[in-house]
Amino acid sequence: MSTTDSNPTTESAAEEDTLVRVRDLKTYYGGDGVFDNKPVKAVDGVSFDIKRGETLGLVGESGCGKTTLGRTLIRLEQATAGEVSYDGTDATALSGKALKQWRRNVQMVFQDPDSSLNERMTIGEIVQEPLDVHDWPYLSVALDDAGDREVAGDMVAAFDIDAHDRPDITVDVEGGQPAVTIREEIPLEPERVDVTVNDDTVRVRVNTTKRRLRRARVRELLDTVGLQPEHYYRYPHQFSGGQKQRIGIARALALEPDFVILDEPVSALDASVQAKILNLLEDLQDEFDLTYLFIAHDLAVVEHICDRVAVMYLGNVMELGPSAEVFDDPANPYTHSLLSAIPEPDPTADKQRITLRGTPPSPRDPPSGCAFSTRCPMKIRPEAYEDIDNEVWEAIEVFRDVLRQRESREKSVTQQVFELAGLSDPYEDIDSLVDEVFGDLDLPSAVETHLEDAVEQIRAGESDAARAALREEFGSVCERERPADHQVSTSGRRSRCHRHQDEYEEPDEYLETHVLD
Amino acid sequence: MTRARPDTDAILSVEDIHTAFFTEKETVRAADGVSFDIGYGETVGIVGESGSGKSVTARSIMGLVESPGKITDGHIKYRGIETVQEFEDRYNRSTADLSAGDTVGDGDFVVVEERDAEGVVTDGYVDIANMPENARQRLRGSAISMVFQDPLTSLNPVYTVGNQIKEALRLHQDLRGREATREAIELLEAVGIPDAPRRVNEYPHEFSGGMRQRAVIATALACDPELLICDEPTTALDVTIQAQILELLKELQEERDLSIMFITHDMGVVAEICDRVNVMYAGELVERASAVELFGNPKHPYTQGLLDSIPSRNTGGDRLSIIEGDVETPNEPATYCRFAPRCPKAFDDCDHVHPVLVDVNEENEDHEAACLLYPEDEPQEAAVERHRSQTTGAEVER
């Protein structure tokens, strides 16, 4: 095992194949107010690459920051720090025309087809809207063997590599009889294009209107996503969930993007409809060479459709690697727990389950050290307590968690005033709390002494000191230091956990020997 | 905690229930002749896609069908003996005492089948489909409770969680004040909420999603129900939280001897928690079997298609298999198989004969499918004839 630096794939030879490169990306909300000075760390230092033509899955529980990450990548949210480069250009620095052009290349399909389609627009209008906004088609003309001649004409423009990826119309002037070729995506027949070659210009006349071309494009798109031509004039409420999602996909594809972010595109759909949409997405990827970022919480779906997968927890990528590896042989304790929680559609499956305690902490107040340390079943224990009974350890963790939650809970103003004035003690029920958590557990004397000390301190009103003492005694490297990314397989898979260091037992070994027994 | 059990082994029998929604445009037969049993201490799953009628079936049992919906026919027999005893006492006029030679008349919704030597009712049922609203209200929340999908909409944001549990305790058990608070704390502890004495005074927005669903379950358990109806209770939750809630339901079932009706579209959850499974399609039950049998040996083409479309069962191929077409709205009487237009195995008779639930073959007594292909050990024509003869004229007219 080796620790990699923050550029985990720089050694990869396929550097030129990288379409999206994300480095140490952070998106924080708030934190700039006068009173409210703790920001919500929705995305907290994330790095990864997406290769051209691949599907990268982004999984995690709600609130882990996966949607914010997706939205930050296409600049629907402003990144707080870090770098997002797209095909070599830094997307966070773009503005004006360049930004507009970049936006054509990255599109998003949203989770809820009900709220992402305007109910007052027909399907045709909805899918056509991006074409209108970006004045599609640009009808850029490239000339072959035209010497010094320039392009002239009302609707057309000379091809400019900075503004367009590829020419819409190519005119080969060689041999006096100009030959016109038109890009496949433009619904225009070469017969409708008249070319006159003059001495210093090539005049190109298109015998149709942009409106007509757009409408034809919309019809093509509807057909591509499996909708009928008559759907053009209908309204969103006349469609089922699966059909609405097809409309959302058609709209995302309208401007011929290279990169599409799919934010839970099938979560709201029934299983049989879900399968149809997943198949459609795979077909479209093959047909149009799309690169996907697939955000989902359904791990089975991700395993099916993604080449690689990133597992997120509380703004951090905990593990990132090829899907097959991550699902068959997870390295990170969080991935282990997440996979073990999926109910399998097989009642005879005899799976040993890790049930996580509690819920993820608030991203406003993430734990110091490892993000997963408050719930991790494989947390490194201090040497003195390595062989302590699991139930006792669990009880200590619960006790500390309750103290932590009470401390961070938002209090009403009256409550705060009362506490400041010493009229109300937030820990008046400390004895019953201890009783509830530890009950009739048989505590080793070392544990008991420290607990009693902590309870004493809490009674004396020094709850912060008590928490610090407990942390000193029962805490470990997991709470003190942020874990580094460790490479865990030859494919470049990485996992963020202290247990990958040589001096500790690996997560899967520890799982076998300590957690499941 | 064990309860006295009568000889019949089902606590709830749904018999040929029809619930329809009458709109100007059409009549939607959301539940169209649904029958199933729930045994004591058993978890019975109802699965199906949206629009299959699973939630309407649950709401019919709870008496929560709202206008323009109406239960048009059928019986929902609840056999919880304490309830029958209480209802016999309270609704004497609407009681039919079969043990004394009565017959069940119009308007009778309490039926006594057996009494012991002292005259105490030992067997009988109350018919939820035919009882007046005030009687239903007495049943709802006490003997039968329901947990809904979205915990945020089933909790009132302006009352503390404790208050909402205490409301149930006051209405059904007449507990008030300190006593009620103590009970509420105990319930929150029972559903695994740490630091319950403090959290009982908090508002729903101070709870996380998983905690809220635990609180909803605590409210549902407040009056010690015998039957818990869970309508997609984990659909809005994350997998790790879902695992916690499923584990909690299993524990509670064991401790309290609960019967659970579990509605979901997630086949993984069904496999995890259900003993027996009913599969619904377009308002009708199309297959029922034990969970092990259903997943290991699905018989109805719809169940087969549904299971095949789940990504995690599709380990081999690149493409997911799909069921062509969409679910039709059940807006006319079923005189044919409603799945036939989408069925890969459909043949001519499927368009003319309405399939009924039959045993799939002779060996398998606990596995039924509503499909003309079954019983599979009978020649096709005989099987079709069996389905045809069981669809009576009356049913067609309805």
Side-chain angles (χ1 to χ4, degrees), chain A residues 61-62 270 272 275-276 278-279 282-283 300 304 341 343-347 353 355-356 358-359 375 402 406 409 426 436, chain B residues 49-50 195 198 202 208 238-242 244 247 268 271-272 291-292 295 309 311-313 318-320 322-323 325:
Chain A
E61 298 174 85
S62 41
D270 276 319
S272 69
K276 287 181 202 168
L278 290 174
N279 284 345
E282 284 186 312
D283 293 345
H304 176 80
E344 248 172 83
D346 175 8
R353 167 157 298 168
T355 308
L356 288 182
T359 43
R375 297 170 85 201
V402 170
R406 283 206 185 175
R409 190 170 304 164
E436 186 199 322
Chain B
E49 300 181 85
S50 27
D195 208 7
R198 180 160 292 256
E202 290 187 350
S208 66
D238 281 314
V239 277
T240 63
I241 311 297
Q242 167 171 288
Q244 293 172 357
E247 201 160 286
E272 174 92 28
V292 177
F295 283 89
S309 65
S312 54
R313 281 175 73 106
D318 255 3
R319 290 181 70 80
L320 296 168
I322 55 171
I323 308 174

Short mmCIF file of all heavy atoms in Angstrom, two decimals, chain A residues 61-62 270 272 275-276 278-279 282-283 300 304 341 343-347 353 355-356 358-359 375 402 406 409 426 436, chain B residues 49-50 195 198 202 208 238-242 244 247 268 271-272 291-292 295 309 311-313 318-320 322-323 325:
data_model
loop_
_atom_site.label_atom_id
_atom_site.label_comp_id
_atom_site.label_asym_id
_atom_site.label_seq_id
_atom_site.Cartn_x
_atom_site.Cartn_y
_atom_site.Cartn_z
N GLU A 61 -25.30 8.55 0.44
CA GLU A 61 -26.61 8.78 1.03
C GLU A 61 -27.03 10.23 0.80
O GLU A 61 -26.22 11.06 0.41
CB GLU A 61 -26.54 8.50 2.53
CG GLU A 61 -26.18 7.06 2.82
CD GLU A 61 -25.98 6.83 4.31
OE1 GLU A 61 -26.99 6.60 4.99
OE2 GLU A 61 -24.84 6.91 4.77
N SER A 62 -28.29 10.53 1.08
CA SER A 62 -28.73 11.90 0.87
C SER A 62 -27.94 12.82 1.80
O SER A 62 -27.64 12.47 2.93
CB SER A 62 -30.23 12.04 1.11
OG SER A 62 -30.63 11.32 2.22
N ASP A 270 -40.52 3.29 -11.62
CA ASP A 270 -40.72 1.89 -11.25
C ASP A 270 -39.66 1.00 -11.90
O ASP A 270 -39.11 1.36 -12.93
CB ASP A 270 -42.09 1.43 -11.75
CG ASP A 270 -43.18 1.80 -10.78
OD1 ASP A 270 -42.94 1.66 -9.57
OD2 ASP A 270 -44.24 2.22 -11.22
N SER A 272 -39.58 -1.64 -13.80
CA SER A 272 -39.59 -2.03 -15.21
C SER A 272 -39.36 -0.82 -16.11
O SER A 272 -38.76 -0.93 -17.18
CB SER A 272 -40.89 -2.74 -15.56
OG SER A 272 -41.96 -1.84 -15.54
N ALA A 275 -35.59 0.08 -16.05
CA ALA A 275 -34.77 -0.74 -16.94
C ALA A 275 -34.78 -0.15 -18.35
O ALA A 275 -33.75 -0.11 -19.02
CB ALA A 275 -35.28 -2.18 -16.95
N LYS A 276 -35.95 0.32 -18.79
CA LYS A 276 -36.04 0.89 -20.14
C LYS A 276 -35.17 2.13 -20.27
O LYS A 276 -34.47 2.31 -21.26
CB LYS A 276 -37.49 1.27 -20.46
CG LYS A 276 -38.39 0.09 -20.71
CD LYS A 276 -39.78 0.57 -21.04
CE LYS A 276 -40.79 -0.52 -20.78
NZ LYS A 276 -42.15 -0.05 -20.80
N LEU A 278 -32.57 2.99 -18.43
CA LEU A 278 -31.15 2.63 -18.35
C LEU A 278 -30.65 2.10 -19.69
O LEU A 278 -29.57 2.46 -20.14
CB LEU A 278 -30.93 1.60 -17.24
CG LEU A 278 -31.10 2.12 -15.81
CD1 LEU A 278 -30.98 0.98 -14.81
CD2 LEU A 278 -30.06 3.18 -15.49
N ASN A 279 -31.46 1.26 -20.32
CA ASN A 279 -31.06 0.75 -21.64
C ASN A 279 -30.94 1.88 -22.64
O ASN A 279 -29.99 1.92 -23.44
CB ASN A 279 -32.09 -0.27 -22.14
CG ASN A 279 -31.95 -1.62 -21.45
OD1 ASN A 279 -30.94 -1.88 -20.81
ND2 ASN A 279 -32.96 -2.45 -21.56
N GLU A 282 -27.75 3.82 -22.17
CA GLU A 282 -26.58 3.09 -22.70
C GLU A 282 -26.52 3.17 -24.22
O GLU A 282 -25.45 3.36 -24.79
CB GLU A 282 -26.62 1.64 -22.23
CG GLU A 282 -26.21 1.52 -20.78
CD GLU A 282 -26.11 0.08 -20.31
OE1 GLU A 282 -27.04 -0.71 -20.56
OE2 GLU A 282 -25.10 -0.26 -19.69
N ASP A 283 -27.69 3.06 -24.87
CA ASP A 283 -27.71 3.17 -26.33
C ASP A 283 -27.23 4.54 -26.78
O ASP A 283 -26.45 4.67 -27.73
CB ASP A 283 -29.14 2.96 -26.85
CG ASP A 283 -29.60 1.53 -26.64
OD1 ASP A 283 -28.73 0.68 -26.37
OD2 ASP A 283 -30.81 1.28 -26.73
N ALA A 300 -27.41 -0.85 -6.98
CA ALA A 300 -27.55 -1.88 -8.00
C ALA A 300 -27.55 -1.25 -9.39
O ALA A 300 -26.95 -1.77 -10.32
CB ALA A 300 -28.83 -2.68 -7.77
N HIS A 304 -24.68 -1.63 -12.41
CA HIS A 304 -25.03 -2.07 -13.75
C HIS A 304 -24.48 -1.14 -14.82
O HIS A 304 -23.97 -1.58 -15.83
CB HIS A 304 -26.55 -2.18 -13.89
CG HIS A 304 -26.97 -2.53 -15.27
ND1 HIS A 304 -26.93 -3.81 -15.76
CD2 HIS A 304 -27.38 -1.75 -16.30
CE1 HIS A 304 -27.32 -3.81 -17.01
NE2 HIS A 304 -27.60 -2.57 -17.37
N ALA A 341 -25.87 -2.89 3.40
CA ALA A 341 -27.22 -2.44 3.74
C ALA A 341 -28.23 -2.68 2.62
O ALA A 341 -29.43 -2.60 2.84
CB ALA A 341 -27.20 -0.95 4.08
N PRO A 343 -30.79 -4.39 0.50
CA PRO A 343 -31.53 -5.65 0.58
C PRO A 343 -31.45 -6.38 -0.75
O PRO A 343 -31.61 -5.79 -1.80
CB PRO A 343 -32.97 -5.22 0.87
CG PRO A 343 -33.03 -3.76 0.64
CD PRO A 343 -31.66 -3.23 0.39
N GLU A 344 -31.15 -7.67 -0.69
CA GLU A 344 -31.00 -8.41 -1.93
C GLU A 344 -32.31 -9.06 -2.32
O GLU A 344 -33.00 -9.62 -1.48
CB GLU A 344 -29.94 -9.51 -1.74
CG GLU A 344 -28.71 -9.22 -2.55
CD GLU A 344 -27.61 -10.18 -2.21
OE1 GLU A 344 -27.64 -11.29 -2.76
OE2 GLU A 344 -26.75 -9.83 -1.38
N PRO A 345 -32.66 -9.00 -3.62
CA PRO A 345 -33.92 -9.61 -4.02
C PRO A 345 -33.81 -11.14 -4.06
O PRO A 345 -34.04 -11.76 -5.07
CB PRO A 345 -34.18 -9.02 -5.41
CG PRO A 345 -32.88 -8.50 -5.88
CD PRO A 345 -31.99 -8.29 -4.71
N ASP A 346 -33.42 -11.71 -2.96
CA ASP A 346 -33.30 -13.15 -2.85
C ASP A 346 -33.46 -13.51 -1.38
O ASP A 346 -32.55 -13.31 -0.58
CB ASP A 346 -31.93 -13.59 -3.38
CG ASP A 346 -31.72 -15.08 -3.18
OD1 ASP A 346 -32.69 -15.78 -2.79
OD2 ASP A 346 -30.60 -15.55 -3.40
N PRO A 347 -34.63 -14.04 -1.02
CA PRO A 347 -34.90 -14.28 0.41
C PRO A 347 -34.01 -15.35 1.01
O PRO A 347 -33.91 -15.46 2.22
CB PRO A 347 -36.36 -14.70 0.44
CG PRO A 347 -36.77 -14.97 -0.95
CD PRO A 347 -35.76 -14.41 -1.87
N ARG A 353 -25.00 -8.74 7.95
CA ARG A 353 -25.22 -7.33 7.71
C ARG A 353 -24.53 -6.47 8.76
O ARG A 353 -24.53 -6.78 9.94
CB ARG A 353 -26.73 -7.07 7.74
CG ARG A 353 -27.08 -5.62 7.82
CD ARG A 353 -28.44 -5.37 7.30
NE ARG A 353 -28.51 -5.74 5.88
CZ ARG A 353 -29.64 -5.83 5.22
NH1 ARG A 353 -30.76 -5.65 5.83
NH2 ARG A 353 -29.64 -6.15 3.95
N THR A 355 -25.18 -3.10 10.37
CA THR A 355 -26.16 -2.02 10.45
C THR A 355 -25.48 -0.84 11.12
O THR A 355 -25.02 -0.94 12.26
CB THR A 355 -27.39 -2.45 11.26
OG1 THR A 355 -27.88 -3.66 10.71
CG2 THR A 355 -28.48 -1.40 11.15
N LEU A 356 -25.41 0.27 10.40
CA LEU A 356 -24.76 1.44 10.94
C LEU A 356 -25.64 2.09 12.00
O LEU A 356 -26.85 2.09 11.89
CB LEU A 356 -24.47 2.45 9.84
CG LEU A 356 -23.37 2.09 8.87
CD1 LEU A 356 -23.19 3.22 7.88
CD2 LEU A 356 -22.08 1.81 9.60
N GLY A 358 -27.08 5.34 13.98
CA GLY A 358 -27.33 6.77 13.80
C GLY A 358 -27.36 7.25 12.36
O GLY A 358 -27.52 6.46 11.43
N THR A 359 -27.21 8.55 12.20
CA THR A 359 -27.28 9.16 10.88
C THR A 359 -25.98 9.96 10.65
O THR A 359 -25.27 10.25 11.59
CB THR A 359 -28.47 10.12 10.80
OG1 THR A 359 -28.50 10.87 12.01
CG2 THR A 359 -29.77 9.37 10.66
N ARG A 375 -19.47 7.00 12.90
CA ARG A 375 -20.33 5.83 12.72
C ARG A 375 -19.56 4.57 12.34
O ARG A 375 -20.15 3.51 12.18
CB ARG A 375 -21.34 6.10 11.61
CG ARG A 375 -22.31 7.21 11.90
CD ARG A 375 -23.10 7.56 10.65
NE ARG A 375 -24.26 6.72 10.45
CZ ARG A 375 -24.87 6.56 9.27
NH1 ARG A 375 -24.39 7.14 8.21
NH2 ARG A 375 -25.93 5.80 9.16
N VAL A 402 -24.08 11.10 21.82
CA VAL A 402 -25.18 11.85 22.41
C VAL A 402 -24.67 13.19 22.94
O VAL A 402 -25.28 14.24 22.72
CB VAL A 402 -25.86 11.05 23.54
CG1 VAL A 402 -26.84 11.92 24.32
CG2 VAL A 402 -26.59 9.84 22.98
N ARG A 406 -25.88 16.82 21.63
CA ARG A 406 -26.49 17.83 22.51
C ARG A 406 -25.77 19.15 22.40
O ARG A 406 -26.36 20.22 22.43
CB ARG A 406 -26.42 17.36 23.95
CG ARG A 406 -27.44 16.30 24.24
CD ARG A 406 -27.76 16.33 25.70
NE ARG A 406 -28.66 15.26 26.01
CZ ARG A 406 -29.04 14.98 27.24
NH1 ARG A 406 -28.55 15.66 28.25
NH2 ARG A 406 -29.89 14.01 27.45
N ARG A 409 -26.64 20.88 19.06
CA ARG A 409 -28.04 21.13 18.76
C ARG A 409 -28.35 22.62 18.84
O ARG A 409 -27.84 23.33 19.70
CB ARG A 409 -28.91 20.37 19.76
CG ARG A 409 -30.34 20.38 19.40
CD ARG A 409 -31.07 19.41 20.29
NE ARG A 409 -30.47 18.07 20.19
CZ ARG A 409 -30.69 17.11 21.08
NH1 ARG A 409 -31.42 17.34 22.14
NH2 ARG A 409 -30.14 15.93 20.92
N PRO A 426 -28.28 21.88 30.98
CA PRO A 426 -28.62 20.95 29.90
C PRO A 426 -28.31 19.50 30.26
O PRO A 426 -28.74 18.60 29.56
CB PRO A 426 -27.74 21.43 28.74
CG PRO A 426 -26.62 22.18 29.36
CD PRO A 426 -27.16 22.77 30.61
N GLU A 436 -29.26 4.83 30.80
CA GLU A 436 -29.89 4.37 29.56
C GLU A 436 -28.86 3.74 28.63
O GLU A 436 -29.10 2.71 28.02
CB GLU A 436 -30.57 5.56 28.87
CG GLU A 436 -31.39 5.17 27.65
CD GLU A 436 -31.66 6.36 26.73
OE1 GLU A 436 -31.89 7.46 27.25
OE2 GLU A 436 -31.63 6.17 25.51
N GLU B 49 -46.08 -2.16 -9.19
CA GLU B 49 -45.56 -0.86 -9.60
C GLU B 49 -46.59 0.21 -9.28
O GLU B 49 -47.70 -0.09 -8.87
CB GLU B 49 -45.24 -0.90 -11.09
CG GLU B 49 -44.21 -1.95 -11.40
CD GLU B 49 -43.88 -1.98 -12.87
OE1 GLU B 49 -43.03 -1.21 -13.28
OE2 GLU B 49 -44.48 -2.79 -13.60
N SER B 50 -46.23 1.47 -9.52
CA SER B 50 -47.21 2.51 -9.22
C SER B 50 -48.44 2.31 -10.10
O SER B 50 -48.33 1.93 -11.26
CB SER B 50 -46.62 3.91 -9.41
OG SER B 50 -45.60 3.90 -10.35
N ASP B 195 -31.51 8.96 23.77
CA ASP B 195 -31.77 10.20 24.48
C ASP B 195 -33.26 10.57 24.42
O ASP B 195 -33.62 11.74 24.26
CB ASP B 195 -30.92 11.32 23.85
CG ASP B 195 -30.58 12.40 24.87
OD1 ASP B 195 -30.91 12.19 26.05
OD2 ASP B 195 -30.03 13.43 24.48
N ARG B 198 -35.25 13.51 26.36
CA ARG B 198 -35.04 14.86 25.84
C ARG B 198 -35.74 15.05 24.50
O ARG B 198 -36.37 16.06 24.24
CB ARG B 198 -33.54 15.11 25.69
CG ARG B 198 -33.17 16.45 25.17
CD ARG B 198 -31.76 16.75 25.52
NE ARG B 198 -31.62 16.93 26.94
CZ ARG B 198 -31.49 18.12 27.52
NH1 ARG B 198 -31.51 19.20 26.78
NH2 ARG B 198 -31.35 18.22 28.82
N GLU B 202 -38.99 17.49 21.40
CA GLU B 202 -38.52 18.17 20.20
C GLU B 202 -39.56 18.10 19.08
O GLU B 202 -40.45 17.25 19.09
CB GLU B 202 -37.21 17.54 19.73
CG GLU B 202 -36.06 17.84 20.66
CD GLU B 202 -34.74 17.38 20.13
OE1 GLU B 202 -34.70 16.66 19.12
OE2 GLU B 202 -33.72 17.74 20.73
N SER B 208 -33.83 13.70 12.27
CA SER B 208 -33.39 13.34 10.92
C SER B 208 -34.44 12.43 10.29
O SER B 208 -35.34 11.95 10.98
CB SER B 208 -32.05 12.62 11.01
OG SER B 208 -32.22 11.39 11.65
N ASP B 238 -32.55 6.50 3.01
CA ASP B 238 -31.31 5.96 2.46
C ASP B 238 -31.13 4.49 2.85
O ASP B 238 -31.69 4.05 3.84
CB ASP B 238 -30.12 6.75 3.01
CG ASP B 238 -29.96 8.05 2.28
OD1 ASP B 238 -30.02 8.02 1.04
OD2 ASP B 238 -29.80 9.08 2.94
N VAL B 239 -30.31 3.78 2.09
CA VAL B 239 -30.18 2.34 2.35
C VAL B 239 -29.70 2.02 3.76
O VAL B 239 -30.20 1.07 4.36
CB VAL B 239 -29.25 1.60 1.36
CG1 VAL B 239 -30.00 1.23 0.12
CG2 VAL B 239 -28.00 2.36 1.07
N THR B 240 -28.76 2.80 4.29
CA THR B 240 -28.28 2.42 5.63
C THR B 240 -29.38 2.67 6.66
O THR B 240 -29.52 1.92 7.62
CB THR B 240 -27.02 3.23 6.02
OG1 THR B 240 -27.34 4.61 6.09
CG2 THR B 240 -25.90 3.02 5.04
N ILE B 241 -30.20 3.70 6.43
CA ILE B 241 -31.30 3.98 7.34
C ILE B 241 -32.42 2.95 7.11
O ILE B 241 -33.05 2.47 8.05
CB ILE B 241 -31.85 5.41 7.12
CG1 ILE B 241 -30.71 6.42 7.10
CG2 ILE B 241 -32.88 5.76 8.16
CD1 ILE B 241 -29.94 6.54 8.38
N GLN B 242 -32.63 2.60 5.85
CA GLN B 242 -33.62 1.58 5.53
C GLN B 242 -33.31 0.27 6.26
O GLN B 242 -34.19 -0.37 6.82
CB GLN B 242 -33.63 1.35 4.02
CG GLN B 242 -34.38 0.12 3.59
CD GLN B 242 -34.54 0.07 2.08
OE1 GLN B 242 -35.30 0.81 1.49
NE2 GLN B 242 -33.82 -0.83 1.44
N GLN B 244 -31.75 -0.03 9.03
CA GLN B 244 -32.09 0.15 10.45
C GLN B 244 -33.58 -0.04 10.68
O GLN B 244 -34.00 -0.71 11.63
CB GLN B 244 -31.70 1.56 10.93
CG GLN B 244 -30.21 1.83 10.96
CD GLN B 244 -29.91 3.30 11.24
OE1 GLN B 244 -30.81 4.13 11.36
NE2 GLN B 244 -28.64 3.64 11.36
N GLU B 247 -34.75 -3.63 10.32
CA GLU B 247 -34.34 -4.40 11.49
C GLU B 247 -35.26 -4.10 12.68
O GLU B 247 -35.69 -4.99 13.39
CB GLU B 247 -32.90 -4.03 11.84
CG GLU B 247 -32.20 -5.05 12.68
CD GLU B 247 -30.69 -4.87 12.58
OE1 GLU B 247 -30.11 -5.21 11.54
OE2 GLU B 247 -30.12 -4.36 13.55
N GLY B 268 -36.10 -6.00 -3.36
CA GLY B 268 -35.08 -6.33 -2.37
C GLY B 268 -35.65 -6.28 -0.96
O GLY B 268 -35.42 -7.17 -0.14
N ALA B 271 -37.94 -9.27 -0.32
CA ALA B 271 -37.19 -10.49 -0.03
C ALA B 271 -36.66 -10.47 1.39
O ALA B 271 -36.56 -11.50 2.06
CB ALA B 271 -36.04 -10.64 -1.02
N GLU B 272 -36.34 -9.29 1.86
CA GLU B 272 -35.73 -9.13 3.16
C GLU B 272 -36.72 -9.38 4.30
O GLU B 272 -36.42 -10.02 5.29
CB GLU B 272 -35.20 -7.69 3.25
CG GLU B 272 -34.66 -7.28 4.57
CD GLU B 272 -33.18 -7.53 4.64
OE1 GLU B 272 -32.53 -7.51 3.59
OE2 GLU B 272 -32.68 -7.76 5.76
N ALA B 291 -42.24 -16.05 0.15
CA ALA B 291 -41.19 -15.23 -0.45
C ALA B 291 -40.14 -16.10 -1.13
O ALA B 291 -39.71 -15.83 -2.25
CB ALA B 291 -40.55 -14.33 0.61
N VAL B 292 -39.74 -17.17 -0.45
CA VAL B 292 -38.69 -18.04 -1.00
C VAL B 292 -39.14 -18.62 -2.33
O VAL B 292 -38.40 -18.62 -3.32
CB VAL B 292 -38.37 -19.17 0.00
CG1 VAL B 292 -37.34 -20.12 -0.59
CG2 VAL B 292 -37.87 -18.59 1.31
N PHE B 295 -39.47 -15.79 -5.23
CA PHE B 295 -38.22 -15.33 -5.82
C PHE B 295 -37.46 -16.45 -6.49
O PHE B 295 -36.75 -16.25 -7.46
CB PHE B 295 -37.33 -14.66 -4.75
CG PHE B 295 -37.77 -13.27 -4.40
CD1 PHE B 295 -38.71 -13.05 -3.41
CD2 PHE B 295 -37.26 -12.19 -5.09
CE1 PHE B 295 -39.13 -11.77 -3.11
CE2 PHE B 295 -37.68 -10.91 -4.80
CZ PHE B 295 -38.62 -10.70 -3.80
N SER B 309 -36.14 -7.43 -14.55
CA SER B 309 -35.75 -6.05 -14.86
C SER B 309 -34.95 -5.40 -13.74
O SER B 309 -34.50 -4.28 -13.87
CB SER B 309 -36.99 -5.21 -15.18
OG SER B 309 -37.82 -5.11 -14.05
N PRO B 311 -31.74 -4.57 -11.81
CA PRO B 311 -30.32 -4.65 -12.20
C PRO B 311 -29.53 -5.71 -11.44
O PRO B 311 -28.73 -6.42 -12.02
CB PRO B 311 -29.79 -3.25 -11.89
CG PRO B 311 -30.97 -2.37 -11.93
CD PRO B 311 -32.14 -3.21 -11.48
N SER B 312 -29.78 -5.86 -10.14
CA SER B 312 -28.92 -6.77 -9.38
C SER B 312 -29.20 -8.23 -9.69
O SER B 312 -28.42 -9.10 -9.34
CB SER B 312 -29.07 -6.51 -7.88
OG SER B 312 -30.41 -6.59 -7.52
N ARG B 313 -30.33 -8.52 -10.36
CA ARG B 313 -30.57 -9.91 -10.76
C ARG B 313 -30.13 -10.14 -12.19
O ARG B 313 -30.27 -11.22 -12.74
CB ARG B 313 -32.04 -10.27 -10.60
CG ARG B 313 -32.40 -10.56 -9.15
CD ARG B 313 -33.88 -10.77 -9.00
NE ARG B 313 -34.34 -12.03 -9.53
CZ ARG B 313 -34.70 -13.06 -8.78
NH1 ARG B 313 -34.61 -13.00 -7.49
NH2 ARG B 313 -35.15 -14.16 -9.34
N ASP B 318 -25.49 -7.47 -20.71
CA ASP B 318 -25.21 -6.06 -20.68
C ASP B 318 -26.49 -5.25 -20.57
O ASP B 318 -26.54 -4.22 -19.94
CB ASP B 318 -24.48 -5.65 -21.97
CG ASP B 318 -23.02 -5.41 -21.70
OD1 ASP B 318 -22.62 -5.63 -20.55
OD2 ASP B 318 -22.31 -5.03 -22.63
N ARG B 319 -27.51 -5.74 -21.26
CA ARG B 319 -28.76 -4.99 -21.28
C ARG B 319 -29.74 -5.56 -20.28
O ARG B 319 -29.78 -6.76 -20.04
CB ARG B 319 -29.38 -5.06 -22.68
CG ARG B 319 -28.60 -4.27 -23.70
CD ARG B 319 -29.27 -4.35 -25.03
NE ARG B 319 -30.53 -3.62 -25.06
CZ ARG B 319 -30.61 -2.31 -25.20
NH1 ARG B 319 -29.53 -1.61 -25.30
NH2 ARG B 319 -31.78 -1.70 -25.23
N LEU B 320 -30.53 -4.67 -19.72
CA LEU B 320 -31.56 -5.11 -18.79
C LEU B 320 -32.75 -5.60 -19.61
O LEU B 320 -33.10 -5.00 -20.61
CB LEU B 320 -31.99 -3.93 -17.91
CG LEU B 320 -30.92 -3.36 -17.00
CD1 LEU B 320 -31.38 -2.06 -16.41
CD2 LEU B 320 -30.62 -4.35 -15.89
N ILE B 322 -36.62 -5.97 -20.28
CA ILE B 322 -37.70 -5.05 -19.94
C ILE B 322 -39.05 -5.67 -20.26
O ILE B 322 -39.13 -6.67 -20.98
CB ILE B 322 -37.57 -3.72 -20.72
CG1 ILE B 322 -37.51 -4.00 -22.22
CG2 ILE B 322 -36.34 -2.96 -20.28
CD1 ILE B 322 -37.59 -2.75 -23.06
N ILE B 323 -40.10 -5.09 -19.68
CA ILE B 323 -41.46 -5.47 -20.06
C ILE B 323 -41.93 -4.40 -21.04
O ILE B 323 -41.95 -3.23 -20.70
CB ILE B 323 -42.39 -5.51 -18.84
CG1 ILE B 323 -41.78 -6.38 -17.73
CG2 ILE B 323 -43.76 -6.02 -19.23
CD1 ILE B 323 -42.57 -6.35 -16.45
N GLY B 325 -44.25 -1.93 -23.24
CA GLY B 325 -45.53 -1.26 -22.99
C GLY B 325 -45.65 -0.67 -21.60
O GLY B 325 -44.71 -0.67 -20.81
#
